Amino acid sequence: MPTVSSEELAAAAGVNSAKLRKDFSYLGSYGTRGVGYDVEYLVYQISRELGLTQDWPIVMVGIGNLGAALANYGGFASRGFRVAALIDADPAMVGKPVAGIPVQYIDDLEKIIEENGVSIGVIATPAGAAQQVCDRLVAAGVTSILNFAPTVLSVPDGVDVRKVDLSIELQILAFHEQRKAGEEGGVAEAAAAAAPVPAVPATAVPPAAPVRTGGGSEQAPGRKGPDGDMPAVMPA
């Protein structure tokens, strides 16, 4: 019987093991001290809480490049989601198979939802058509919508919308990149400010001017008077 410890799960998830054990206790899974968690049963418990132990039929509206890519995504079935219908407003698309499913016309949307008991819809249309499609989905009984259209949808209370905007995700990454660049620049400036001031070589210091000591005098070389060398300092 394969098992996994809370420490292993916590390390993989990047969380504290004590918090992980507490969260799992809400699932009714306490594990066995010294043994860990039964992996198969733990997966079942989590799937049950997420509503993934039943079949969820979904309809996808808008089978352009993005919609076709989503239809071909293999992760839906493994998570309990079944693509019940692919729907598009282009008559030329009707009947064409995408991921083995023939595309149906938008006029049959309400009938398709009713016949398949659909409560989850996916919108992958252009922005201009998304709200109208959303209204029709809601009116037909869909209460959860995954929106890939680049627009904000207005829905009544009781309807959940999750928006997937790739440009926003890229903007978030750009923000992090900008912040990292700023931090690196700040570190460089701090390092420059903390660098020691280089010492001036002794050879670069000009010779000191001659000074008078005691009762005698020092003569600065190179100064000529009318009678030859002129003392730089007159004798006392």
Side-chain angles (χ1 to χ4, degrees):
M1 179 179 66
T3 60
V4 61
S5 69
S6 59
E7 287 76 14
E8 290 173 317
L9 286 172
V15 298
N16 179 273
S17 60
K19 185 178 187 305
L20 181 137
R21 287 191 295 270
K22 181 179 179 182
D23 289 345
F24 278 177
S25 70
Y26 292 110
L27 300 176
S29 176
Y30 296 90
T32 303
R33 184 180 295 276
V35 176
Y37 297 90
D38 181 332
V39 173
E40 184 176 349
Y41 184 54
L42 183 60
V43 169
Y44 165 76
Q45 288 178 304
I46 294 174
S47 299
R48 181 194 62 194
E49 291 298 319
L50 294 175
L52 302 181
T53 55
Q54 67 184 80
D55 175 63
W56 290 100
I58 65 175
V59 295
M60 190 175 301
V61 185
I63 314 302
N65 292 332
L66 177 58
L70 292 172
N72 280 282
Y73 174 58
F76 288 132
S78 63
R79 298 298 180 89
F81 301 99
R82 173 175 57 86
V83 180
L86 303 177
I87 302 172
D88 200 273
D90 183 1
M93 288 288 297
V94 176
K96 290 186 176 181
V98 175
I101 304 172
V103 177
Q104 302 184 61
Y105 194 48
I106 189 68
D107 284 359
D108 298 324
L109 176 63
E110 289 78 9
K111 179 182 177 182
I112 293 168
I113 291 173
E114 181 181 1
E115 289 179 348
N116 290 276
V118 174
S119 59
I120 300 176
V122 179
I123 297 178
T125 67
Q131 185 62 58
Q132 182 182 2
V133 169
C134 174
D135 293 341
R136 290 183 61 181
L137 288 173
V138 172
V142 169
T143 54
S144 294
I145 295 173
L146 183 61
N147 177 33
F148 284 90
T151 187
V152 176
L153 299 176
S154 176
V155 297
D157 293 339
V159 176
D160 295 314
V161 176
R162 296 288 297 177
K163 187 176 189 305
V164 181
D165 192 323
L166 300 181
S167 63
I168 289 179
E169 299 304 321
L170 287 173
Q171 287 175 341
I172 292 172
L173 292 177
F175 165 75
H176 289 300
E177 287 300 312
Q178 181 70 15
R179 186 176 62 177
K180 285 186 285 188
E183 290 174 351
E184 291 172 358
V187 169
E189 291 178 2
V197 178
V200 179
T203 55
V205 179
V211 295
R212 181 177 176 178
T213 60
S217 65
E218 291 288 339
Q219 181 175 325
R223 296 185 62 190
K224 300 289 185 178
D227 300 321
D229 290 340
M230 182 175 67
V233 181
M234 297 300 293

